[in-house]
Amino acid sequence: MRVLGWTAVCCLAALATAAAAQQPLPDPTLEPLLAKATWYVLEFVDKLSNVVAEEHYVQDSNVMLATIAIPGLGGRGGPAMSGPRGSAKHRELKADFLIVTTPGVSWQPFRDVFEVDHIPMRDREERLAKLFLNKRTDAEAQQRAQAIADESARYNLGAVRRTINNPVFALIFLQPDAREHFRFTMGKPDRRMGDNIRVVEYVEDMRPTLIVGLPGQDMPAYGRFWIDVDTGRVVKSEVRVDQKGIKANLTTVFRADERLGIDVPAEMHEDYDLDNSRVTGTATYSRFRRFEVSATEELAQPPQGATPAPPQ
């Protein structure tokens, strides 16, 4: 056995001390800020529930991707079918977007497409009423909501179902039961987003991951939150996935809606780098309105003439 000399031992000790000194100390303000953000997200979801927005969602690809034929609302002759297109580089969707609460799940974003490439698909208000206001069992309502979400996902460019392309997806990571999946670090202030905005970075280091690929592939997420240090309000979120065959980046900016007195998503940007294509998307949100159920279970809309505040 070779015994290190005193000088070598001292050098090793000095190197270990230097390495420890280079390790950044935990920011004592991080945990209190995360706690504020978690409470904010819980309140945000509660306030946004039963609020419906109109989503205008534009998707583009650098190559021709598969599309599906579009059934439209017909006239006297009944439902019509648009000319079939085998592929396209551009797609425009309009949908109702809302957050619903379901048994066993704290909350679930819900998108119901009512227009594809300027072709109307259905009676939007009647569909919402049937889904959420008719007397159904919880299981039936959840099953119906999932079926409509799956149907709407078919209209995505490429005719594939993407699970993270909703504006509030990243906020799931700040929920109490999801935070343990991630390692958070304090970033720098971002004056462009506000005087009291601090960036918080996160990396998922627990398995299995919250995002699962096919077949059962772990897809660890990482990204950033822009958080108000005084209130915990999240003004911007980013989630990234970087795995073999796919790179995804989803960013959402939030704003205050003065008429409803709540924060709402304003704009979502997404980028997907796939094996043989690159897809980008931009969704904007408007016409926020609160649906309420009366004693007769009818859909009540806000008074006419009320308009939402413009995006900031």
Side-chain angles (χ1 to χ4, degrees), residues 193-223:
M193 297 301 298
D195 292 338
N196 297 317
I197 302 302
R198 193 74 180 266
V199 176
V200 173
E201 301 175 358
Y202 65 89
V203 177
E204 188 173 13
D205 55 10
M206 181 180 288
R207 302 295 184 272
T209 57
L210 297 179
I211 303 174
V212 180
L214 296 175
Q217 176 191 16
D218 281 329
M219 303 187 73
Y222 65 99

Side-chain angles (χ1 to χ4, degrees), residues 47-202:
K47 289 182 176 179
L48 199 61
S49 297
N50 300 321
V51 172
V52 182
E54 182 175 302
E55 178 186 65
H56 184 204
Y57 192 4
V58 179
Q59 302 175 4
D60 291 284
S61 171
N62 64 331
V63 297
M64 301 292 282
L65 292 178
T67 59
I68 63 172
I70 306 169
L73 295 179
R76 294 180 180 178
M81 183 73 71
S82 71
R85 293 187 302 170
S87 59
K89 287 187 176 182
H90 180 80
R91 172 136 284 183
E92 293 188 35
L93 306 174
K94 286 188 177 181
D96 288 319
F97 179 86
L98 64 156
I99 291 177
V100 296
T101 56
T102 55
V105 180
S106 56
W107 55 278
Q108 178 180 358
F110 175 79
R111 175 184 285 116
D112 189 9
V113 173
F114 63 81
E115 183 179 299
V116 180
D117 292 339
H118 309 289
I119 299 175
M121 308 300 294
R122 57 170 175 77
D123 185 330
R124 56 190 301 194
E125 306 295 351
E126 180 183 353
R127 175 118 131 184
L128 285 175
K130 286 182 178 179
L131 176 61
F132 296 108
L133 302 184
N134 284 3
K135 293 182 178 179
R136 299 172 179 265
T137 66
D138 290 337
E140 288 175 334
Q142 187 173 2
Q143 184 178 14
R144 180 59 177 155
Q146 187 62 56
I148 292 177
D150 289 342
E151 176 190 335
S152 297
R154 294 172 60 241
Y155 297 117
N156 284 330
L157 194 61
V160 295
R161 183 167 186 246
R162 298 196 286 271
T163 58
I164 69 172
N165 63 332
N166 75 72
V168 299
F169 179 81
L171 299 185
I172 295 173
F173 302 159
L174 288 171
Q175 292 188 129
D177 56 348
R179 270 180 49 184
E180 62 183 14
H181 275 252
F182 299 90
R183 183 177 69 256
F184 295 89
T185 56
M186 187 72 84
K188 298 180 179 179
D190 190 344
R191 301 292 183 187
R192 296 170 300 177
M193 297 301 298
D195 292 338
N196 297 317
I197 302 302
R198 193 74 180 266
V199 176
V200 173
E201 301 175 358
Y202 65 89

Side-chain angles (χ1 to χ4, degrees), residues 27 29-38 170 173-174 179 182-190 193 196-203 222-229 232-239:
D27 192 317
T29 64
L30 176 60
E31 282 302 321
L33 181 58
L34 287 175
K36 289 180 182 180
T38 294
F173 302 159
L174 288 171
R179 270 180 49 184
F182 299 90
R183 183 177 69 256
F184 295 89
T185 56
M186 187 72 84
K188 298 180 179 179
D190 190 344
M193 297 301 298
N196 297 317
I197 302 302
R198 193 74 180 266
V199 176
V200 173
E201 301 175 358
Y202 65 89
V203 177
Y222 65 99
R224 295 174 289 177
F225 293 107
W226 284 254
I227 304 175
D228 187 302
V229 297
R233 177 173 174 252
V234 179
V235 299
K236 185 178 178 180
S237 66
E238 174 193 76
V239 56

